[in-house]
Every structure is written in structure tokens, then in C-alpha cells.
Amino acid sequence: MAAQLAPSILAADFARLADAAAAVAGVADWLHIDVMDNHFVPNLTLGLPVVQSLLAATALPLDCHLMIDDPDRWAPGYAEAGAGSVTIHAEAAADPVATARAIRATGARAGLAVKPGTALTPYADLLAEFDLLLVMTVEPGFGGQAFIAEMLPKVARARSLVQGSGLAVWVQVDGGIDAESIERCAEAGADVFVAGSAVYGAADPAAAVTQLRTAAERAMRRRPA
Ligand code: DX5
Ligand code: ZN
């Protein structure tokens, strides 16, 4: 499949979120929204009211990445509000299957995220319940961190789990994605790429998205068939 780009507004100006969405409209596939609660991660960002305002301000589908405790309780609300995709963390979910089903019941896509230290294998049997598997390539909580190259074999493992399952689950990477790391992730098997600093830290965010996409697609062509 083609590469999908999801700029993360965590790296944008929080006083101008509608402008940040507009800056990548027409070039990005998703707008990535990092919801943090100061409990699951040591940072606090935004929640449902801001997501609702963004839904009204942009036609881009929202990819909500919930770095929060008790996602079983809160995730369905983001899907009901109209998010296109809602991702919960495996480490935080008490009942990931029930939560994925509640997300999907709204028509939204359901994602399962794993932190760098969390193994994929225990979740292999849950893949059919999800549309996306997010392999974190930094410790969640903050933008602008260095890409953890040790995660590349995990990206490849995610790809082979998905391939082996025959399911149409997307493999997403998030954290430290730039022109160089995106190629390594694409080659390893990722197909959805979150980028914060590399997009909103650039003078021209739309041009940055296009450059990242070109790099990802070039690397995807090098993947073994
Ligand atoms: C980190 C967030 C990321 C973050 C990525 O916890 O999940 O989405 O915005 O930012 P960069 O691309 O700057 O690493
Ligand atoms: Zn994220």
C-alpha cells in the first residue's frame, strides 16, 4: 500500500491549531493528535473538547493517539465525536478487545500502541480486533526526541505478524521520524508515519510532508515482496 503521513500537532503552536491543520490540508493523510493525561505519561496536552473543536475546523481525519490511563473508559468518546482513528496503549488498557470493539462500532478505526519496552507477541492474537498497530519509536510523552533505531526489528516483526495473519492491519511508527528514519522504518515494514518536529519544525510544513512521503515510498519499493 501507499505510505500514509500523519503530522503530529504536538509540535505545532497550540494557540493556532486550526492553522496547523490548514498548513498540511491536502498533503497529509491524517492529523495526529497526542492526548496525554499526566498519568500514563509525564505530560499533559489536550482532550476531547479540543478534539471536538479540531473536528469542526478541519476536513482532515483525526488520528487520536491516547497516552492516558483507563483508555477503556475514555477512548470510545473520541470515536463517537468523529475521530477517524483512535489508538489505545496496550500497557494501559484493561480490556483492549472490548475497547477496540466500542471504537469500531462507531465506524472509526481502532489502533493498538506499544511502548518501546513492550513486546508484541502477547498481542499477536488480538490483531483481528484492530486496524492499526503502533510501534512507538521513542518513549511516549514528548515530541522532538531521538529515534530509537533498536525498534527497527520490532517494526519488521509487526509487519511479519500482520502479513502472517492475512489481516489488513496498518503498521504505524511514531517518534523521531525524519527524512532519514522514515526510510529505515518504511524498509522495515511501516506504512503509516507520524511526524511532529520534522513537519511543524520545518519552514514549509506541507513541503516537509511531501518530502517525507517521497522518502517513505522510495524505501517501500526496496522492501522484499
Ligand atoms: C510522542 C508522541 C508523538 C510526537 C512525535 O509521545 O506520540 O506523536 O508528537 O514527535 P516527533 O515527531 O517530534 O518525535
Ligand atoms: Zn503520537
Side-chain angles (χ1 to χ4, degrees):
M1 68 175 266
Q4 298 184 62
L5 271 292
S8 166
I9 57 158
L10 187 61
D13 179 349
F14 267 28
R16 294 191 168 79
L17 291 181
D19 294 341
V24 296
V27 290
D29 300 283
W30 299 87
L31 197 62
H32 184 84
I33 315 292
D34 290 302
V35 176
M36 305 186 190
D37 68 349
N38 250 354
H39 291 269
F40 181 71
V41 290
N43 196 5
L44 183 66
T45 54
L46 51 84
L48 189 54
V50 176
V51 167
Q52 285 167 326
S53 294
L54 272 169
L55 283 163
T58 181
L60 274 172
L62 302 190
D63 171 32
C64 293
H65 175 195
L66 305 188
M67 286 159 277
I68 60 172
D69 279 350
D70 202 4
D72 310 273
R73 176 172 176 192
W74 304 110
Y78 289 83
E80 283 155 16
S85 180
V86 180
T87 295
I88 59 170
H89 264 269
E91 305 85 359
D95 192 345
V97 170
T99 302
R101 289 180 182 174
I103 293 167
R104 280 176 150 184
T106 68
R109 301 175 61 89
L112 185 69
V114 285
K115 298 206 281 187
T118 303
L120 287 175
T121 308
Y123 302 101
D125 290 343
L126 270 50
L127 271 187
E129 303 286 344
F130 288 90
D131 302 291
L132 177 144
L133 188 53
L134 166 53
V135 177
M136 288 302 299
T137 44
V138 298
E139 265 323 313
F142 298 92
Q145 301 182 76
F147 175 75
I148 304 174
E150 288 72 22
M151 292 301 111
L152 287 164
K154 196 176 182 181
V155 175
R157 166 107 174 105
R159 167 57 48 201
S160 78
L161 279 176
V162 167
Q163 211 115 315
S165 72
L167 297 161
V169 177
W170 298 342
V171 176
Q172 185 179 60
V173 285
D174 180 6
I177 301 300
D178 60 15
E180 193 251 333
S181 58
I182 200 169
E183 292 211 29
R184 301 173 77 186
C185 290
E187 212 167 352
D191 34 38
V192 189
F193 305 88
V194 177
S197 321
V199 171
Y200 288 109
D204 183 342
V209 171
T210 300
Q211 280 160 13
L212 288 167
R213 186 189 303 284
T214 302
E217 291 190 336
R218 182 171 50 228
M220 281 164 102
R221 285 194 292 272
R222 291 199 296 265
R223 267 190 213 166

